[in-house]
Structure formats: C-alpha cells, structure tokens
Amino acid sequence: IDLQTRCPFRAYAELRLGGNDLAIPEPGVPADVRGMLLHAALEVLWRTLGNSRALLDTSPERLTALIADSVEQAARIPFGATQERRTPAQARELARTARLIRALCDVEKQRAHFTVKATELDQTVRLGAAQLRMRIDRVDQLEAGGLAILDYKSGKRVPGGWDRERPTHPQLLAYLAAIGEDARAVATVNVTGTPRSRARRSRSS
C-alpha cells in the first residue's frame, strides 16, 4: 500500500517484476532483522504484562528482567538459542533493543489505562477489487471504550500526513478499515535508536 501510494510504477516494478535494488552490505545487524527483533520482543513482553496496570505495578528491577527475557526469547529465531555463539554485533543489538523497549515502557506509563487485546493480529480487508492480508502490530482495548491501533516503527521517523495528495502511513487507513467502527485511535509508535532520541508516539485521527 505504501509503495502504491508513493509511486504506482515503482510498486509494479518492485512487487510484480522483482526490480529491487541489490542489497548493500552493512556493518552490524541488518535493519530488517532489527525490526523483527523489536516486534517479537514487544509481542512477548505484552503477552506477559497484558495491560497498563500490570506495567505500572511492576517494579523497575522486575521490568528490566522481563524486558531482558522478552528480548532473549525474540533473539532465538534470528540469532540462535546459544548466547555464547552470538557475535559482538548481535549482543550489542540485544542490549540496544532492551534499552529502546524500556524507553517505550516509560512512554506507555503516561497513557490512560488500556489492555493489550491483540499483538501481530492477522486481518483481511477488501479495498475495491483487491483483497489484502495484513498484520497489525498491536490493538489495545481502551478503558474509555473502543480500540486503539498501534503500528511500531523502528526506522526513520516520518510525520503523519493524511491530508496530502500522497499520504504517509497509508497502511494505517487499511488497518482502520479492517478493525471497523470500534477503532477510536490510531498511532505510529516510533522506536528509534539515534543518540538523543526516545520512544515517541505520533498520533493521527
């Protein structure tokens, strides 16, 4: 959806013709693996906590341990189960992911009470003649009623711009269509690792 919004020709060239750029080797852990690790660790953590009250009631020491365990479980798929055989770059990425999640938890504590209803939710929606399968990062049940849709972003922060000719984050509109009338809020959750950045929420309505 994002490619189609930005440039229909590019979407056709990349998705139908396979015209992708050659991958450029990067030092450390590839960006897609970093994103997968973050998503998986957050899924494990919220499966354990369940809601914002549990987050608030968890001591700092216990929260640190829960985050470390969530990151470790998430790392078993991309990095293997044996810690001793991981590279220094992989170990640094695990520590970085834990720091980012802890910063995000500090932001989550400031929200009104919520319950995490679903993580990595598979949904299907029909847009015109197309039927799209999608995976929503997280859906929260709000204490005031209704649902909030959260979309994690681990890359460069892109401000919301749905009033433009080519809106940013168009997948969120598809998520809204999939969730339906129960949706009360939608947001990108920007979790970045730049030196002075913190976890940020960018709300759209």
Side-chain angles (χ1 to χ4, degrees):
I1 295 175
D2 185 50
L3 279 177
Q4 182 71 23
T5 300
R6 285 186 284 161
C7 177
F9 174 77
R10 179 181 174 184
Y12 181 82
E14 289 192 16
L15 302 179
R16 296 296 182 89
L17 303 181
N20 298 309
D21 293 334
L22 293 176
I24 300 176
E26 298 179 2
V29 176
D32 60 338
V33 176
R34 292 199 302 267
M36 180 175 67
L37 179 66
L38 178 69
H39 279 69
L42 285 167
E43 180 181 12
V44 174
L45 179 64
W46 281 111
R47 203 163 56 221
T48 301
L49 290 173
N51 57 61
S52 59
R53 286 190 171 84
L55 174 62
L56 291 168
D57 291 342
T58 302
S59 68
E61 296 77 15
R62 175 58 177 161
L63 182 59
T64 297
L66 285 175
I67 292 172
D69 182 65
S70 299
V71 172
E72 177 58 34
Q73 290 188 50
R76 293 172 185 172
I77 296 177
F79 298 158
T82 307
Q83 297 183 24
E84 293 76 12
R85 304 185 74 172
R86 292 174 186 161
T87 67
Q90 291 172 344
R92 288 194 298 271
E93 189 59 35
L94 297 186
R96 171 183 174 274
T97 301
R99 289 195 301 271
L100 292 176
I101 292 177
R102 184 56 184 266
L104 177 58
C105 286
D106 291 339
V107 175
E108 298 271 23
K109 290 178 180 180
Q110 302 171 30
R111 295 177 54 197
H113 290 308
F114 61 88
T115 296
V116 177
K117 183 176 181 180
T119 57
E120 304 299 322
L121 177 65
D122 288 320
Q123 290 283 281
T124 301
V125 65
R126 180 169 292 280
L127 299 178
Q131 181 167 294
L132 304 179
R133 295 181 61 188
M134 61 191 70
R135 178 170 292 179
I136 302 174
D137 292 339
R138 192 169 121 200
V139 178
D140 288 356
Q141 177 69 56
L142 304 177
E143 189 173 57
L147 304 174
I149 302 168
L150 304 183
D151 189 37
Y152 298 132
K153 298 294 182 185
S154 57
K156 181 179 178 181
R157 184 169 182 260
V158 179
W162 287 350
D163 56 347
R164 304 173 186 173
E165 181 179 355
R166 295 187 182 278
T168 58
H169 310 304
Q171 75 278 9
L172 294 179
L173 300 176
Y175 296 166
L176 282 171
I179 295 300
E181 295 181 357
D182 287 338
R184 295 292 182 271
V186 61
T188 56
V189 181
N190 297 277
V191 190
T192 60
T194 49
R196 295 186 179 181
S197 68
R198 296 183 299 174
R200 302 172 180 173
R201 285 183 296 155
S202 176
R203 292 185 176 181
S204 302
S205 60

